[in-house]
Amino acid sequence: MAVRQLLRRGVSGGSPLHPLRGLFLASQELGRRPLSLAAAGDKAAELRAAREDVRQLLKATSCHPILVRLGWHDAGTYDKNITEWPKCGGANGSLRFEVELKHGANAGLVNALKLVQPIKDKFPGVSYADLFQLASATAIEEAGGPKIPMIYGRFDVSSPEECPPEGRLPGYSFIFSHPSAAGPPSPAEHLREVFYRMGLNDKEIVALSGAHTLGRARPERSGWGKPETKYTKDGPGAPGGQSWTSQWLKFDNSYFKDVKERRDEDLLVLPTDAVLFEDSSFKIHAEKYAEDQDAFFKDYAEAHAKLSNLGAKFDPPKGISLE
């Protein structure tokens, strides 16, 4: 079945979004052979061309927030305690499969996949894993954020059976609907449980939280936020939802300022946002970022790059730089 038909159906069955499964699997096998220097150069050129198409997509659709989320949610399933690839999860392109797209924390991400699929079709040599991370990093940069020190050459998983189990991503709806005998975790416990499992620390948790300067929460997807506010009622894009910041397509440190001050009822503050200024360890970094955007950008760029590499298997092993 053609890709366009699959996408119109909202992604069908367990099949990867590729028009010819046999050719896809064959290309996967060929892709496992080590790249020559010439081949690596060709791959870099293809990635640069794909990046330019992502930039044009961002200009045309203002889809920065959902592309950031796409890359994060593909990588954020990583479990440092599992050594076997791809059981460890992480940035391996598994989010293109319906079984993972249906995870509660991934609500709405099929729309991100529809946006980038034409770029994948145009550049078949770029893996889904690379495309998701390329789109995410480029969205940050094009929104005014820092340059992310990215590398590429990630392998894709080849079947939906290799998708990670549900429950590895942050999500309060999931947490509070599955309480333990001791009750639900506190916001700080929840953040640490999720991000420590990935191998991230408190500074990286706070820095990455700053990406909420982009985007909106939609109650029909996450269960959080207002249906619309004065900042979101006219879009851009589909109107509605509640943003964390007034300029929710601009990447800066305003998230930390707004969460700290809480002066505007039209701006969203989740329990996991508020705790950044309540927990003693988180607060050190949140206060710093509210005052010093350069410090935030530096730490964010490092944390984003680290997240994008979690669980990834590269060819060549040291990855491909586009700079």
Side-chain angles (χ1 to χ4, degrees):
M1 184 178 293
V3 171
R4 291 180 180 83
Q5 292 175 291
L6 289 172
L7 292 175
R8 280 198 295 268
R9 291 175 54 186
V11 188
S12 174
S15 299
L17 295 180
H18 197 278
L20 295 174
R21 179 176 173 82
L23 288 177
F24 174 80
L25 294 175
S27 68
Q28 286 288 313
E29 183 59 33
L30 288 170
R32 296 180 191 277
R33 299 174 184 173
L35 289 177
S36 66
L37 289 176
D42 291 343
K43 177 64 71 69
E46 192 171 24
L47 284 159
R48 289 189 188 97
R51 181 172 62 184
E52 185 55 37
D53 278 16
V54 170
R55 287 172 175 154
Q56 296 306 312
L57 174 66
L58 291 164
K59 290 178 182 177
T61 65
S62 299
C63 61
H64 305 67
I66 201 169
L67 294 192
V68 173
R69 184 167 165 242
L70 178 68
W72 277 38
H73 282 218
D74 195 46
T77 60
Y78 177 67
D79 188 335
K80 69 178 183 180
N81 301 307
I82 301 174
T83 57
E84 183 180 350
W85 189 90
K87 289 183 179 180
C88 59
N92 58 30
S94 62
L95 188 47
R96 73 191 189 276
F97 292 110
E98 183 186 26
V99 63
E100 190 169 343
L101 283 168
K102 285 187 172 180
H103 291 180
N106 293 330
L109 281 179
V110 66
N111 297 316
L113 192 58
K114 291 177 182 180
L115 288 168
V116 301
Q117 184 62 47
I119 300 175
K120 171 61 178 170
D121 293 342
K122 184 176 177 181
F123 302 103
V126 175
S127 67
Y128 280 98
D130 271 351
L131 181 58
F132 294 167
Q133 300 309 320
L134 175 73
S136 182
T138 303
I140 294 290
E141 295 167 9
E142 292 297 302
K147 183 75 173 176
I148 313 295
M150 299 290 291
I151 57 172
Y152 298 96
R154 295 169 185 79
F155 282 115
D156 279 339
V157 296
S158 58
S159 72
E161 289 73 28
E162 295 175 305
C163 289
E166 185 165 11
R168 292 187 182 179
L169 294 168
Y172 258 78
S173 296
F174 182 84
I175 291 294
F176 285 105
S177 63
H178 295 76
S180 68
S186 70
E189 289 171 338
H190 174 54
L191 287 173
R192 290 191 171 104
E193 178 183 355
V194 171
F195 286 96
Y196 282 12
R197 188 208 68 233
M198 300 182 207
L200 300 173
N201 59 34
D202 285 358
K203 182 176 78 170
E204 291 161 337
I205 291 172
V206 179
L208 290 171
S209 295
H212 277 147
T213 192
L214 297 179
R216 303 163 282 178
R218 293 183 178 273
E220 69 272 18
R221 295 179 184 173
S222 66
W224 291 96
K226 298 178 179 180
E228 70 174 29
T229 70
K230 62 178 176 285
Y231 301 119
T232 66
K233 62 185 179 67
D234 297 321
Q242 186 176 13
S243 58
W244 285 263
T245 63
S246 59
Q247 293 182 284
W248 48 270
L249 288 177
K250 179 181 179 182
F251 194 95
D252 57 19
N253 68 334
S254 60
Y255 164 82
F256 296 104
K257 295 178 179 179
D258 291 334
V259 170
K260 180 180 180 179
E261 295 173 356
R262 295 194 227 181
R263 295 178 179 174
D264 191 334
E265 63 180 15
D266 269 351
L267 296 181
L268 183 61
V269 179
L270 297 175
T272 44
D273 301 316
V275 77
L276 301 182
F277 287 92
E278 298 165 354
D279 179 272
S280 60
S281 178
F282 290 157
K283 185 177 181 179
I284 295 170
H285 307 293
E287 292 278 5
K288 179 180 180 181
Y289 299 153
E291 297 298 324
D292 188 341
Q293 181 168 283
D294 289 342
F296 166 51
F297 274 24
K298 177 181 180 296
D299 291 349
Y300 179 84
E302 293 173 357
H304 185 123
K306 182 176 178 178
L307 175 67
S308 77
N309 293 338
L310 296 179
K313 186 164 68 170
F314 290 92
D315 183 23
K318 293 185 178 180
I320 299 169
S321 173
L322 304 187
E323 307 313 320

